[in-house]
Structure formats: C-alpha cells, structure tokens
Amino acid sequence: MTLQPSFRDAVERYLDTFDRGVLPIVQAGHPVLRQPAAAYDGQLGDLLPALLDAMRLTMVDAPGVGLAAPQIGIGLQIAVVHDAGAPDAQDPRERTPLEHRVLVNPSYEGVGDERRSFFEGCLSVEGYQAVVARFRTVRLTGQDETGRQLDEELTGWPARIVQHETDHLRGQLYLDHAEIRSLTSNDNLATLWGGHEGPAEAAQALRFPTA
C-alpha cells in the first residue's frame, strides 16, 4: 500500500476530534475488528507519532496492557503494549514488567509446545473474561516505530499480551481461542475465582479443559 493523503488526512481529523487525546474503543461486533489490518508501510507519514501518543493515552486510560489500532477503528498493523507487572514475583502467570513499546507489522510463533491457560479479557469485549490457552513462550518479529527490526523471545504474561494484540491485527478476538464454557462476567470472576492462583477451580466447576 502506498501513501494515501486522503487516509492520512482522515486519521488526522479523527485525532483532532478528540484533541489528540483519549479515543473511543471499538467494541465487538464492529467489522474493523474482524478484518485483517493492512501492513504499515508509511501511510501516516509524520502523523504516526501523534497516533501512537493517542493510542498510549487510550490504553492507559482504559486501563489496559495493550491496544491495537483496529480497536480505535484504524485498520493498520500497529499496536502499543505496556504492563507494570505483578507485585508478587511468584505470580503463576509470570506477569513480569513489559516496558511501553510499539509493535509494527508484528508476528509471533510459539517456541516449544508448552501452553498455559489463564483468564484473559479485552478492551473491545467489555465486562467479560474467558480462559485462553496460549504459548508460554513466543518468538516476536516485526518492527518498532522507527523501522528497527524486532526478533526476540518473550515468556509468560508479556508473551500473552503480544499474542493477544497481534491476533487483533489478524482480525481475531481472544474469544476465538477461548474455552467458551469459561466465559464469565468480571464481577463473577472477582467474586468466585479472584482468590485462586489459576483457572483450575473454575475449570472444575464450569467444566472446561485447561492446558
């Protein structure tokens, strides 16, 4: 795809509508979430930093640990991620800190066959979570916002975040990979399963398998 001034201008007008601040998050059912995003090859030109700033503000405000461009209605392969991590070093999710970063045209592949099952939510599926079995370790490739090539391995929760956000760019939601019998409201998750280290008790009560 080549640079399209009309597309860039439309994105600029959209950002300006919200004073280049927090943007609305698209919810499940909108077609943009189900269409593979276009590879980013400079379509936004010098507007890219403004978009990335707005995405970061939107993610933090939500609050969330990742946000893909389709979640704000822009079908480009761009995502931002950030997670402060869990205060407990023994957190079974291996939720280690993930510094704020930008993923452009990202892709991942599993490293080994080990998968882990945990509850997972999404800013575009408000109010619910479900258990998803994902690769414990992945190899991430792609670029950052400067065009620098990425090729690294991530393990635990950072790997889950990368898989979740990259799936968005493929037109997928976490529900496509979830054990649907595990689907729960956030209130029920906190009340019934919030005190447990993993989904084992929920799996037994709701009758769904885990990795």
Side-chain angles (χ1 to χ4, degrees):
M1 182 181 295
T2 58
L3 181 63
Q4 300 178 24
S6 59
F7 178 76
R8 179 200 178 283
D9 292 347
V11 172
E12 184 171 35
R13 288 193 298 271
Y14 181 62
L15 296 178
D16 287 344
T17 298
F18 298 95
D19 297 323
R20 303 203 175 193
V22 174
L23 303 170
I25 296 177
V26 174
Q27 293 300 304
H30 194 294
V32 72
L33 295 174
R34 289 312 198 172
Q35 298 165 357
Y40 183 73
D41 61 6
Q43 295 94 322
L44 299 178
D46 60 0
L47 187 64
L48 179 61
L51 173 64
L52 296 177
D53 285 345
M55 290 179 66
R56 180 184 61 80
L57 290 171
T58 303
M59 173 182 65
V60 171
D61 179 75
V65 295
L67 186 74
Q71 293 183 274
I72 55 168
I74 298 174
L76 292 173
Q77 290 186 29
I78 299 171
V80 294
V81 297
H82 172 80
D83 187 19
D88 182 2
Q90 303 304 314
D91 188 311
R93 298 169 297 177
E94 298 176 280
R95 191 171 177 177
T96 55
L98 178 63
E99 65 180 10
H100 176 76
R101 59 192 306 188
V102 177
L103 308 179
V104 177
N105 302 325
S107 183
Y108 69 82
E109 59 183 20
V111 176
D113 297 326
E114 186 177 6
R115 292 174 179 262
R116 295 286 180 88
S117 295
F118 290 106
F119 278 102
E120 187 172 323
C122 179
L123 299 179
S124 291
V125 187
E126 288 185 342
Y128 290 89
Q129 295 192 42
V131 170
V132 183
R134 291 197 184 271
F135 289 113
R136 176 175 178 258
T137 301
V138 297
R139 178 186 178 193
L140 168 67
T141 55
Q143 299 89 43
D144 66 11
E145 67 272 33
T146 70
R148 182 178 65 89
Q149 294 297 312
L150 303 176
D151 189 342
E152 60 190 272
E153 289 188 7
L154 296 140
T155 295
W157 207 252
R160 181 171 293 265
I161 293 170
V162 163
Q163 291 172 82
H164 181 114
E165 299 308 328
T166 302
D167 284 353
H168 270 303
L169 305 179
R170 299 171 175 176
Q172 301 172 3
L173 294 175
Y174 82 98
L175 292 173
D176 299 335
H177 311 288
E179 293 294 338
I180 294 301
R181 290 186 67 95
S182 73
L183 186 67
T184 178
S185 68
N186 287 344
D187 287 345
N188 276 342
L189 179 62
T191 301
L192 299 175
W193 317 118
H196 302 288
E197 291 189 345
E201 290 80 4
Q204 182 176 8
L206 300 178
R207 300 182 180 180
F208 62 84
T210 60

